[in-house]
Amino acid sequence: MDALFCVPMLSVFLIPVLSSYSTTLNFLFFYMTWSTLVLSHTPLRVEIFGTIAIRVLFYALPSAVMFLFDILTPSAAVVIKAHGSTGLPGGKRRRNIRLREIKVAGWSLLNLTLAIALQWAIETTCVRAFKMRSALKVSLKLPMPYEMVRDLLLGMLGREALTYIIHRFALHANESPLKRWHHFWYHALHAPFPLSGHYDHPVTYLLSNFIPTYLPAVLFRFHMLTYLIYLVIVSIEETFAYSGYTIMPTNFFLIGMARRMDMHVLTYGEGNFGPWGIMDWIFKTAIGDAELIDDEQDDAEERERERRSRTTYAASPKKKPTTPRPAKTTSAQGPAGRRR
């Protein structure tokens, strides 16, 4: 793990953010640290430990913090949940966290580890077993800005298309073990919550999450820096899209993704198969939350009416039941016939 926490590895991410020098000096320092990193480690180590660093910093740690925030302070978390207590890890039980929620968090991190291990196995097989070039380009030469933008667009569009095709036609269309595993695992969730973005059966997870993310980078042979930026975008998206929060760093993109993920889970996979919604819009499988919101509002209004009725009934004064008074009977002897 020394490569993960060494100065060149961390400075690749920290120098452009924390330094206050001019752009030319920042670029010079960045190139020097990148050169030191590439020259002091093998391309395989640079790729794997760079991937681990991005996944830990931009997905695992923030998702774990959000998960702990939800289970330790549910009264505060429920205020910013899009679907109220339903979006908490324990659902409407709030503090009553069962082993199932811990299992979801554990399997999510385990699947993430499995994906990184598979990426390492693919690179090792290509380079060492078949004597091929590495799947990703790790070189001293830095990519040009337009090349990075082009590759990022191709990667995100390729990921959107692959995720949609696999998710809709392999995991939701036909009866198969993949569909049963996906529904038994992922769609057993009552709603998305932090650390549930990578929760699924390991086979369906690798098919629907790892392959759409990694395959475009391999097909277009991203430069390692481009791949790290691409992985940052994907990790931030997964962190907040599955958080269930109404507060997002970028509402324009992330809030729409989060609501699409919510609707996909709440409707048991009736639509919203792609992360960005482009393919769903093209093939008319996008589902909005208007009807669901109306239903929730109707249910909330009905519950509120019932609560007010119970409150009004409990606050009303208790009246003793009145029993009919017996009718007066006139004695056979009137007033004049009374005995003195």
Side-chain angles (χ1 to χ4, degrees):
M1 296 294 289
D2 57 336
L4 180 59
F5 298 102
C6 65
V7 174
M9 173 64 77
L10 294 179
S11 60
V12 167
F13 306 108
L14 296 181
I15 283 181
V17 178
L18 301 180
S19 62
S20 58
Y21 302 104
S22 64
T23 304
T24 303
L25 287 177
N26 280 334
F27 179 79
L28 180 61
F29 290 151
F30 179 81
Y31 182 74
M32 290 174 60
T33 54
W34 174 253
S35 301
T36 304
L37 179 64
V38 173
L39 293 175
S40 58
H41 299 283
T42 63
L44 180 61
R45 286 169 63 88
V46 173
E47 176 182 342
I48 297 304
F49 287 109
T51 301
I52 294 175
I54 293 297
R55 283 305 201 178
V56 170
L57 292 176
F58 293 95
Y59 176 77
L61 283 181
S63 296
V65 171
M66 293 178 185
F67 182 77
L68 292 176
F69 173 70
D70 284 358
I71 63 177
L72 296 179
T73 58
S75 299
V78 73
V79 177
I80 57 176
K81 286 289 185 177
H83 300 285
S85 57
T86 304
L88 294 174
K92 296 184 178 181
R93 299 185 312 277
R94 295 199 176 188
R95 289 187 180 274
N96 186 18
I97 301 298
R98 299 177 302 177
L99 183 61
R100 174 174 178 76
E101 283 71 39
I102 305 300
K103 174 186 173 183
V104 169
W107 269 109
S108 180
L109 296 177
L110 185 61
N111 281 337
L112 186 60
T113 305
L114 179 63
I116 297 174
L118 182 58
Q119 180 179 343
W120 172 84
I122 293 173
E123 285 287 3
T124 303
T125 303
C126 291
V127 175
R128 296 180 181 177
F130 296 104
K131 305 300 181 181
M132 299 169 56
R133 65 181 184 180
S134 60
L136 299 178
K137 186 188 302 181
V138 182
S139 63
L140 290 175
K141 182 182 177 181
L142 299 179
M144 297 298 291
Y146 75 89
E147 294 177 345
M148 299 180 69
V149 173
R150 179 200 63 196
D151 289 344
L152 288 174
L153 288 177
L154 292 175
M156 299 308 297
L157 291 176
R159 174 174 173 262
E160 171 76 12
L162 287 172
T163 302
Y164 180 88
I165 293 171
I166 295 173
H167 202 177
R168 180 182 178 183
F169 298 105
L171 304 184
H172 284 281
N174 301 316
E175 291 296 332
S176 65
L178 294 175
K179 181 178 180 180
R180 289 195 298 270
W181 292 338
H182 182 64
H183 279 257
F184 183 76
W185 284 60
Y186 181 73
H187 282 287
L189 299 174
H190 49 79
F193 55 83
L195 281 179
S196 64
H198 288 255
Y199 174 71
D200 207 339
H201 188 280
V203 175
T204 56
Y205 164 79
L206 293 176
L207 186 64
S208 63
N209 188 294
F210 171 72
I211 290 179
T213 301
Y214 186 62
L215 187 58
V218 173
L219 291 178
F220 300 109
R221 199 162 188 262
F222 285 2
H223 190 279
M224 190 60 203
L225 285 178
T226 305
Y227 179 72
L228 292 179
I229 296 174
Y230 169 73
L231 209 58
V232 167
I233 298 174
V234 172
S235 299
I236 293 176
E237 172 199 316
E238 292 171 342
T239 297
F240 289 98
Y242 291 89
S243 66
Y245 294 153
T246 57
I247 300 175
M248 301 285 176
T250 306
N251 284 344
F252 181 69
F253 287 106
L254 294 177
I255 197 68
M257 296 178 187
R259 298 294 79 82
R260 281 193 293 272
M261 293 301 104
D262 291 349
M263 286 301 301
H264 179 78
V265 175
L266 293 172
T267 59
Y268 298 97
E270 293 184 2
N272 294 351
F273 302 105
W276 287 62
I278 299 175
M279 298 292 290
D280 289 291
W281 177 72
I282 294 174
F283 292 100
K284 302 186 184 303
T285 54
I287 50 177
D289 56 356
E291 296 181 359
L292 182 65
I293 291 177
D294 292 340
D295 294 340
E296 290 181 350
Q297 290 177 347
D298 293 341
D299 294 340
E301 292 175 358
E302 184 177 354
R303 290 194 297 269
E304 181 65 18
R305 286 195 297 268
E306 293 178 356
R307 187 188 65 81
R308 290 179 180 177
S309 299
R310 290 194 297 268
T311 303
T312 304
Y313 177 77
S316 61
K318 303 287 185 179
K319 293 184 178 181
K320 295 182 179 180
T322 57
T323 55
R325 301 177 64 183
K328 293 183 179 180
T329 57
T330 304
S331 176
Q333 296 178 350
R338 278 181 193 163
R339 294 180 181 179
R340 298 190 177 206

